[in-house]
């Protein structure tokens, strides 16, 4: 907390430097730039009227002055904010924001804009005049970035660069203290929170105002084997891993020769028929169909996508009529949709349903909804039966005027829906349209609470729902309008592009769509989850192993020892033909070659077998006379056919006879 400057440190109000924010500097700023904006268009108009400037030149200069006017107005507004800064701006309340997700980031940006000298305006900052009631803002989140999850399916399908879905917290919240860690506990009675840091230590934070927006976590289903087999889909890392896994299944299916294994590899299962599950299925199903064009034809024919939904229908977020229409479209795309399907087991790569139906699959994607962050259970805040924080329409937690909440973890009453007589009031749906509006109102109410002004209640009727179901496919419900196809797809992209925080991320995503639309999506898996196994050291050798000299018996001293391939041949031996050894004729290596033949080939001499007596399983091997020449066998051009003396040689020898066959001169 910074203190106010003393009398000797007060800036001179007559200092013409604009950085001081004094009245004279602001007036000089207005007069100088205002004169330019007034005189410039007048001069351009006179030049065009007297024919000294063509029409296209006048239009170009007019557009330039319009841009300069917009920049001037923005800087003038900032200068006015600086001019209204109070000398005691260092005194105020400390605000702690728990969670750097979508709602937490938007709320922190709006609160940051209300700090002394902050920039106002913008679709995520909200209207209203800033006060000096906030001294500092601290944001705590396990990740150093925010992930915009509605675009995760398109990132998994290759339409958007995954890094463009993330917003670095420290880059956007430059005037906030961003801490990367997890909130271990919150004691609101003493107004302190304990944060677990990545290095294993802890840090205790105190606050005056608490903003709770930790978001949600994936729902874990109590199904045997599901945690080991299911692939999560919550972060950018999960989207990349799922993309690599699905593409690698296509390559593995194209390489296997087992039909049952190929069917298992090409069966993809998505658990959950809501917006999250169907958006993942729509994008990845479209990706697999396009990637299968570069695979053998049977791969595309055997691709099988399955959706398992425990409820009676898919897409409970929209009307039954639109859900039935989407159901029919998925069936036409070859997707198997099973409603009312309850999974009893997913062990061993086999999904077993409650009715006894089972099928083998190698890919299971869990998208069965989400639950409030378990962090809320480690606080003393009031929770509803679903684990969400109870709050009023002003986003203040019940009986805690200094604690605010917003987003998916908040049970915000929906005043646009009549309250039932025998139950709790209806709460807002966990969607992006409610999260961004609640976060902006939260910042305004925190500012009003610290200034002692009246707080505003949250009221927003559900504008509808949009979902992307693949390339040029979508579903949308706006009021009474229900439509699918191109229009819903464009509406889905336009809305979420507007909701994406920061302008640079918006531009990057738009450029990604342009590139993927013109050049196609990149369907390459660069980080395989499972590569081909490395051969074991104890596996049988694929080439004829060398045989130790001790295994083939005593050699004569004049053979020169065991030669190596490419070495000079030994000196010719004289005298009678020695007996090498007596070995069973059935001894072979891993390639089926006789052991005596391998031993002779490695020793440099090529023995010939001596016929064994009738009824004997052994034969005596004698070496040929050294003076007899040896001619290397000529491989044949086709398997099982004799070699041609006048034709070309095949790159590989025939496999119909032993690899090291002997040919006499």
């Amino acid at each position: 907390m910074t203190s106010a400057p003393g009398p000797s440190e007060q800036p001179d109000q007559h200092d013409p430097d604009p950085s001081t924010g004094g009245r004279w500097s602001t007036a000089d700023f207005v007069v100088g730039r205002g004169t330019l904006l007034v005189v410039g268009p007048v001069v351009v108009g006179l030049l065009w009227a007297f024919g000294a400037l063509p029409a296209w030149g006048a239009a170009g200069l007019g557009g330039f002055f319009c841009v300069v006017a917009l920049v001037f107005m923005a800087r003038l507004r900032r200068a006015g904010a600086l001019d209204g800064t109070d000398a005691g701006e260092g005194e105020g309340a400390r605000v702690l924001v728990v969670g750097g997700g979508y709602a937490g980031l938007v709320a922190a940006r709006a609160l940051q804009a209300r700090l002394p000298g902050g920039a106002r305006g913008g679709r995520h900052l909200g209207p209203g005049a800033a006060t000096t009631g906030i001294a500092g803002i601290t944001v705590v989140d396990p990740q150093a970035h925010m992930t915009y999850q509605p675009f995760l399916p398109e990132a998994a399908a290759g339409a958007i660069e995954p890094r463009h879905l993330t917003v670095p917290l420290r880059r956007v919240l430059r005037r906030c203290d961003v801490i990367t860690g997890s909130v271990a506990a919150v004691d609101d009675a003493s107004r302190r929170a304990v944060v677990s840091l990545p290095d294993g230590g802890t840090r205790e934070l105190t606050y005056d105002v608490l903003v709770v927006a930790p978001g949600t976590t994936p729902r874990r289903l109590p199904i045997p084997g599901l945690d080991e087999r299911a692939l999560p889909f919550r972060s950018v890392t999960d989207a990349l891993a799922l993309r690599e896994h699905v593409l690698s299944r296509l390559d593995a299916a194209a390489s296997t020769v087992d039909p049952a294994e190929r069917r298992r590899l090409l069966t993809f299962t998505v658990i959950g028929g809501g917006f999250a599950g169907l958006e993942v299925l729509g994008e990845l199903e479209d990706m697999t169909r396009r990637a299968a064009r570069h695979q053998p034809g049977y791969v595309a024919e055997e691709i099988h996508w399955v959706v398992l939904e425990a409820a009676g229908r898919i897409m409970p977020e929209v009307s039954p009529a639109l859900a039935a229409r989407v159901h029919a479209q998925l069936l036409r795309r070859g997707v198997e949709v099973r409603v009312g399907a309850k999974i009893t087991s997913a062990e061993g790569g086999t999904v077993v349903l409650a009715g006894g139906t089972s099928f083998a699959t190698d890919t299971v994607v869990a998208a069965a909804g989400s639950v409030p962050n378990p962090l809320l259970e480690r606080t003393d805040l009031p929770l509803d039966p679903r684990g969400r924080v109870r709050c009023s329409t002003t986003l203040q937690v019940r009986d805690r005027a200094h604690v605010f909440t917003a987003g998916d973890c908040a049970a915000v009453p929906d005043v646009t829906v009549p309250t039932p007589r025998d139950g709790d009031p209806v709460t807002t749906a966990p969607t992006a349209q409610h999260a961004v509006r609640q976060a902006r109102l939260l910042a305004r109410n925190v500012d009003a609470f610290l200034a002692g002004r009246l707080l505003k209640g949250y009221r927003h009727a559900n504008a509808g729902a949009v979902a992307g179901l693949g390339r040029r496919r979508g579903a949308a419900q706006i009021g009474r309008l229900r439509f699918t196809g191109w229009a819903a797809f464009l509406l889905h992209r336009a809305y979420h592009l507007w909701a994406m925080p920061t302008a640079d991320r918006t531009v990057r995503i738009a450029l990604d769509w342009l590139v993927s639309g013109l050049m196609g999506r990149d369907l390459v898996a660069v980080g395989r989850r499972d590569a081909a196994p490395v051969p074991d050291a104890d596996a049988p050798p694929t080439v004829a192993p060398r045989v130790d000299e001790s295994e083939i018996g005593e050699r004569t001293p004049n053979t020169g020892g065991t030669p190596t391939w490419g070495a000079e041949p030994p000196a010719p031996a004289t005298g009678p033909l020695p007996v090498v050894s007596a070995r069973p004729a059935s001894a072979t290596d891993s390639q089926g070659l006789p052991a005596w033949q391998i031993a002779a080939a490695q020793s440099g001499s090529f023995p010939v077998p001596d016929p064994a007596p009738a009824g004997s399983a052994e034969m005596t091997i004698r070496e040929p006379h050294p003076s007899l020449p040896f001619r290397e066998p000529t491989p044949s051009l086709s398997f099982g056919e004799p070699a041609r003396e006048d034709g070309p040689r095949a790159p590989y020898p025939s496999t119909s006879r032993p690899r090291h066959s002997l040919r006499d001169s």
Side-chain angles (χ1 to χ4, degrees):
M1 182 180 299
T2 60
S3 59
S8 60
E9 300 175 4
Q10 293 292 339
D12 186 5
Q13 298 298 329
H14 300 279
D15 188 358
D17 186 6
S19 62
T20 60
R23 294 185 177 86
W24 287 108
S25 61
T26 303
D28 179 73
F29 179 85
V30 173
V31 173
R33 274 66 173 182
T35 303
L36 176 63
L37 293 177
V38 173
V39 175
V42 173
V43 173
V44 172
L46 293 176
L47 293 177
W48 174 75
F50 287 101
L53 191 66
W56 62 267
L61 289 178
F64 170 77
F65 280 110
C66 290
V67 174
V68 174
L70 294 176
V71 176
F72 168 75
M73 293 176 62
R75 295 189 62 185
L76 181 61
R77 190 172 186 178
R78 179 176 177 83
L82 290 173
D83 183 56
T85 300
D86 188 20
E89 63 187 73
E91 300 295 335
R94 295 161 298 180
V95 180
L96 174 61
V97 180
V98 178
Y102 188 56
L105 174 65
V106 175
R109 289 186 68 197
L111 290 172
Q112 177 182 252
R114 284 172 167 78
L115 290 175
R120 304 294 303 127
R123 65 182 188 277
H124 294 308
L125 302 182
T131 63
T132 59
I134 302 176
I137 305 171
T138 302
V139 181
V140 181
D141 192 80
Q143 301 292 333
H145 59 270
M146 186 278 300
T147 302
Y148 191 66
Q149 296 183 4
F151 279 150
L152 278 179
E154 294 198 45
I160 300 176
E161 173 65 28
R163 291 189 301 271
H164 297 167
L165 305 183
T166 61
V167 179
L169 297 181
R170 287 184 172 85
R171 179 182 176 183
V172 177
L173 306 177
R174 297 181 179 179
R175 304 186 65 185
C176 300
D177 183 16
V178 179
I179 300 176
T180 302
S182 301
V183 176
V186 175
D187 184 9
D188 187 63
S190 58
R191 298 193 180 186
R192 64 184 184 89
V194 179
V195 180
S196 299
L197 303 178
D199 58 358
T202 59
R203 181 177 176 181
E204 184 174 327
L205 302 176
T206 58
Y207 59 86
D208 298 317
V209 176
L210 177 63
V211 176
V212 181
T216 58
T217 58
R219 176 181 300 171
R220 299 184 61 182
L221 302 178
I223 300 175
L226 187 62
D227 291 341
E228 294 78 12
R229 303 291 304 180
L231 299 175
F233 194 75
R234 188 70 178 179
S235 62
V236 173
T237 305
D238 297 339
L240 289 176
L242 180 59
R243 167 187 170 84
E244 303 296 337
H245 175 81
V246 171
L247 292 178
S248 65
R249 298 305 88 192
L250 300 182
D251 295 335
S255 303
T256 186
V257 294
D258 186 1
E261 177 67 12
R262 183 164 55 246
R263 285 193 299 269
R264 186 184 72 88
L265 292 173
L266 295 179
T267 301
F268 306 94
T269 306
V270 177
I271 301 177
F275 268 18
L278 293 186
E279 286 182 345
V280 174
L281 177 136
E283 292 290 344
L284 293 183
E285 191 272 342
D286 185 81
M287 181 191 71
T288 53
R289 299 295 179 186
R290 293 178 179 274
R293 299 175 183 176
H294 308 286
Q295 304 286 357
Y298 56 82
V299 173
E301 297 175 358
E302 297 187 20
I303 292 179
H304 186 206
W305 282 87
V306 183
V307 180
L308 302 179
E309 172 57 41
R313 67 179 180 94
I314 61 174
M315 300 181 71
E317 299 88 350
V318 298
S319 63
L322 182 58
R325 188 184 306 178
V326 174
H327 192 151
Q329 292 180 357
L330 293 176
L331 295 179
R332 286 194 295 267
R333 294 169 61 175
V335 178
E336 181 181 356
V337 181
R338 289 179 174 266
V339 295
K342 298 182 179 180
I343 306 175
T344 60
S345 175
E347 296 179 343
T350 301
V351 176
V352 182
L353 303 181
T357 305
S358 63
F359 57 91
T361 179
D362 194 53
T363 304
V364 179
V365 182
S370 58
V371 295
N373 198 308
L375 159 67
L376 301 177
E377 300 177 357
R378 300 192 297 269
T379 65
D380 55 353
L381 302 178
L383 305 179
D384 69 348
R386 298 173 57 182
R388 300 176 301 174
V389 181
R390 294 181 178 271
C391 65
S392 61
T393 56
T394 59
L395 306 181
Q396 290 176 299
V397 178
R398 291 186 180 181
D399 303 328
R400 313 288 175 92
H402 63 283
V403 182
F404 295 79
T405 183
D408 298 346
C409 68
V412 182
D414 191 352
V415 297
T416 62
V417 179
T419 303
R421 296 181 179 179
D422 54 350
D424 294 334
V426 180
T427 57
T428 57
T431 58
Q433 59 176 309
H434 287 295
V436 64
R437 289 173 173 84
Q438 290 174 6
R440 291 169 53 182
L441 179 63
L442 184 147
R444 181 184 184 279
N445 284 348
V446 168
D447 191 17
F449 170 76
L450 296 176
R453 300 195 304 267
L454 183 64
L455 277 64
K456 182 180 179 181
Y458 179 76
R459 181 186 179 89
H460 173 69
N462 193 355
V466 290
L469 302 177
R471 188 164 181 167
R472 297 189 296 271
R473 299 183 180 98
Q477 177 176 328
I478 309 299
R480 297 183 179 181
L481 298 178
R482 306 179 185 91
F483 48 94
T484 60
W486 256 100
F489 173 74
L490 293 178
L491 185 61
H492 159 76
R493 282 193 165 183
Y495 173 76
H496 287 295
L497 190 66
W498 170 85
M500 183 69 191
T502 70
D504 65 320
R505 288 307 193 245
T506 302
V507 174
R508 290 176 186 270
I509 293 175
L511 293 178
D512 289 340
W513 286 339
L514 178 62
V515 173
S516 63
L518 295 178
M519 306 183 64
R521 300 180 180 182
D522 194 3
L523 304 175
V524 179
V526 295
R528 300 295 177 85
R529 277 180 146 244
D530 51 349
V534 179
D536 191 3
D538 298 332
T542 57
V543 296
R546 291 185 179 273
V547 179
D548 192 25
E549 186 177 355
S550 61
E551 298 181 3
I552 59 176
E554 179 102 15
R555 296 189 54 86
T556 55
N558 56 357
T559 57
T562 303
T564 57
W565 299 106
E568 294 294 333
T574 59
L577 298 177
V579 176
V580 179
S581 64
R583 184 179 296 272
S586 60
T588 58
D589 73 332
S590 61
Q591 300 294 323
L593 303 179
W596 63 267
Q597 186 174 344
I598 298 172
Q602 294 185 357
S603 63
S605 60
F606 296 85
V608 294
D610 190 24
S616 176
E618 296 185 357
M619 65 177 64
T620 303
I621 302 176
R622 295 183 178 274
E623 295 185 357
H625 199 276
S627 62
L628 295 178
F630 173 75
R631 183 174 61 184
E632 184 179 354
T634 303
S636 60
L637 292 175
S638 60
F639 298 121
E641 297 182 1
R644 293 168 47 186
E645 299 293 341
D646 56 346
R649 301 183 62 180
Y652 301 100
S654 172
T655 58
S656 62
R657 58 176 63 89
R659 184 175 299 177
H660 303 285
S661 60
L662 303 178
R663 301 188 62 175
D664 297 332
S665 57

